[in-house]
Amino acid sequence: MTNRLSLAIDRIAPSQTTAMTDRAFALRAAGRDIISLSVGEPDFATPAHVLEAAKAALDAGDTKYTAVGGTTRMKAAAALHFARDLGIEASPSQVTVSAGGKQAIFHALLATIDPGDEVVIPSPWWVSYPEIVRFAGGTVVPLETTAASGFRFTAAELEARIGPRTRWLLLNSPGNPTGACYPPHLLREIGDMLRRHPQVLVLSDDIYAPLIYTGERHATLAVLCPDLGHRILTISGVSKSHAMTGFRIGVATGPEWLIGAMERLQSHSSGNPASISQAAAVAAFEGPQDFLAGWRDRFRARRDKVVTAINAIPGLSTPVPEGAFYCMVDAAPLMDRFEDDTALAMHLLDQGVAVVQASAFGSKDGFRISFAADEAVLAEALRRIAAAVA
Ligand SMILES: Cc1ncc(COP(=O)(O)O)c(C=O)c1O
């Protein structure tokens, strides 16, 4: 059989967020008026100084291979970002750069998971986590959280999922799709508990850290529990904070053995992240950050409007997300009218709004909307959603 696929690829499904976005594009191409709230990227333009740096790199002939884990300058800029924005001090050998945060996560998990290893993933989860774990041969151990607990788990709930084969905890704060943030006291409790389980590594996905609306500083495990630093990989990037999703740059910091293994794998997968994109990311990290305050204000204002509008629609409800740019909408009261939440998402698409069904995130009976869209577009989308479920 020539079209036989590997066992590894047969274990994973295509990204459902990408699938919904592609469907929306296809309907639009066919002439339908579709508002897409399914995609996970800021609608703001990439800052001008970043674009200038990319152009300058092209003009300077900066178009060749670089070191696999990023240029010296890129690594220094990533280290600057980790220190200034997250409070994590790292040497260049503890930092690596990949084609997006996604690739850093992919390489870290592939480099450390053997068949039978267990990975605890709090749900609702980012769509790619369980697929990457399964691709690596690991076993997903879901840790369900609900709106009632602010989509956060407790140290005790986590400890109940930990066993001798637990290899990783995947921790995402602010979270996609919930916007939930873990406060310092909860992270300290989680850290205290993890000290009893030295076999567990923690992947702290902080890619949305600059987008927090509570006014509080982002809290992260590597800073709060420095003694656990040798077991923590922190992921960040420029995709969400600097509206640079297309550049494909992600950064990671963690223990040298793990960073080295990720680079070993990267040396055979993609090689270095794109040279032009690295130059742009250096400008993003080294350049002015003041635009971010304005973006945050706009995101917060949109969030407030969307949350108010959703909660005014009979049958729909959402808690107030503290960070990122998504609302996880509960539609349980409407589910007697739909076969499942995919059918509900399809119905909304038919009525002109693309969202992503909650089941894509390991949850159920709801959907995620992104509020990274223009205010007028959001208002029209909410009007359509209200009409579609009336
Ligand atoms: C939680 C989370 N982590 C990581 C990523 C990866 O981002 P990128 O690969 O675009 O840098 C995303 C993107 O959607 C995300 O939502």
Side-chain angles (χ1 to χ4, degrees), residues 100-102 105 126 129 172 176 205 207-208 239-240 248:
K102 187 178 271 186
I105 297 168
W126 179 45
Y129 293 146
N172 177 212
N176 173 7
D205 184 346
I207 200 154
Y208 293 99
S239 298
K240 316 291 176 174
R248 310 308 304 132

Side-chain angles (χ1 to χ4, degrees), residues 17 40-41 99-105 126-127 129 172 174-177 205-208 235-240 244-246 248-251 326 368:
T17 34
E41 65 183 352
K102 187 178 271 186
Q103 193 186 40
I105 297 168
W126 179 45
V127 284
Y129 293 146
N172 177 212
N176 173 7
D205 184 346
D206 294 18
I207 200 154
Y208 293 99
I235 303 289
S236 187
V238 288
S239 298
K240 316 291 176 174
M244 290 174 65
T245 45
R248 310 308 304 132
I249 292 288
V251 296
Y326 311 102
R368 182 195 78 174

